Amino acid sequence: MNTESISLNNRKRKYDLFIRQLQPTSDSNILDVGFSNEEWLSGDNYLEKHYPYPYHITALGVCAFDLFQKRYPQVTAVRYDGKIFPFPDNCFEIGWSNAVLEHVGEEKAQVLFLKELHRTCRKVYLTTPNRYFPFELHTRIPLLHWLPKKIFDKILSHTTKRWATGDYMYLLSERRIKTLLKKAGIEHYRIYRNRFIGFTMDFSIIFQK
């Protein structure tokens, strides 16, 4: 099984958990934070590909959405500056964000991101990779990401993976996720561990008002 197949199977498991736990209906309005305009993998924009009511999805992101909108014309796409979501409180029944939290910046930006999800959505489902999974899912390099970020970035800067340095990602452990949730004022949540060959590959976090 290649890495793309593993990733696709993992996304299906996460989507199935989302459906089971949040139980969206044909009337549920959903906010998807962090869509991809260009699709590099078959699992990109998984929600839009598989959710049966795409006309109830609003996709929020920092990038252009011309290609995304052509692929998913029934979905409403909105671009923002990566800070405050351009929606009123409790505007959406459900928030979805797959593997975005690690890309929004350092702690201050991550806390704001969680606060905004909590403010605008009555229930939230988000995922993020486990920093201590042996294989780094973005670069496809084993173990290197266990080093301090400065050293990790320095080594990568001398490779073809230099795009993964700097603010591109800040990987999180379960302990770190709990700290961020506390700082965002989110007290009631559940964390699910998505495992592969016995290791936690990533986390699914669910919280609601």
Side-chain angles (χ1 to χ4, degrees), residues 116-139:
E116 285 299 287
L117 277 170
H118 192 45
R119 179 183 68 80
T120 56
C121 306
R122 293 188 287 277
K123 296 184 288 186
V124 172
Y125 177 92
L126 73 149
T127 77
T128 192
N130 175 21
R131 184 177 188 274
Y132 293 111
F133 185 64
F135 193 72
E136 204 288 299
L137 301 175
H138 300 88
T139 61

Side-chain angles (χ1 to χ4, degrees), residues 96-107:
W96 159 284
S97 185
N98 181 57
V100 176
L101 180 60
E102 70 273 15
H103 295 299
V104 302
E106 296 187 81
E107 179 181 288

Side-chain angles (χ1 to χ4, degrees), residues 21-41:
Q21 295 298 322
L22 276 73
Q23 300 182 342
T25 69
S26 59
D27 295 322
S28 300
N29 62 334
I30 297 177
L31 177 64
D32 173 14
V33 185
F35 66 88
S36 298
N37 192 42
E38 295 196 44
E39 295 186 355
W40 304 105
L41 300 172

Side-chain angles (χ1 to χ4, degrees), residues 3-130:
T3 55
E4 184 171 355
S5 296
I6 293 170
S7 175
L8 189 61
N9 288 337
N10 188 47
R11 292 190 186 209
K12 182 182 185 302
R13 289 203 310 270
K14 290 187 288 186
Y15 176 80
D16 290 345
L17 177 65
F18 164 76
I19 295 297
R20 286 198 310 272
Q21 295 298 322
L22 276 73
Q23 300 182 342
T25 69
S26 59
D27 295 322
S28 300
N29 62 334
I30 297 177
L31 177 64
D32 173 14
V33 185
F35 66 88
S36 298
N37 192 42
E38 295 196 44
E39 295 186 355
W40 304 105
L41 300 172
S42 59
D44 289 347
N45 297 317
Y46 198 93
L47 180 69
E48 285 75 15
K49 282 186 172 75
H50 297 278
Y51 190 65
Y53 313 107
Y55 43 84
H56 282 317
I57 299 175
T58 297
L60 180 66
V62 297
C63 59
F65 53 78
D66 53 326
L67 301 178
F68 176 87
Q69 200 73 88
K70 287 178 182 178
R71 292 189 190 94
Y72 311 105
Q74 292 181 298
V75 176
T76 300
V78 177
R79 189 176 185 179
Y80 82 125
D81 63 2
K83 297 178 183 178
I84 303 299
F85 294 3
F87 308 111
D89 296 357
N90 302 312
C91 185
F92 297 93
E93 180 181 343
I94 296 171
W96 159 284
S97 185
N98 181 57
V100 176
L101 180 60
E102 70 273 15
H103 295 299
V104 302
E106 296 187 81
E107 179 181 288
K108 184 178 179 180
Q110 291 172 335
V111 169
L112 177 61
F113 184 79
L114 291 170
K115 283 183 176 180
E116 285 299 287
L117 277 170
H118 192 45
R119 179 183 68 80
T120 56
C121 306
R122 293 188 287 277
K123 296 184 288 186
V124 172
Y125 177 92
L126 73 149
T127 77
T128 192
N130 175 21

Side-chain angles (χ1 to χ4, degrees), residues 121-160:
C121 306
R122 293 188 287 277
K123 296 184 288 186
V124 172
Y125 177 92
L126 73 149
T127 77
T128 192
N130 175 21
R131 184 177 188 274
Y132 293 111
F133 185 64
F135 193 72
E136 204 288 299
L137 301 175
H138 300 88
T139 61
R140 306 291 198 265
I141 298 174
L143 303 179
L144 185 64
H145 59 293
W146 286 0
L147 296 171
K149 180 166 173 56
K150 286 185 179 180
I151 299 175
F152 173 77
D153 283 359
K154 186 174 182 179
I155 294 172
L156 277 193
S157 67
H158 297 290
T159 74
T160 58

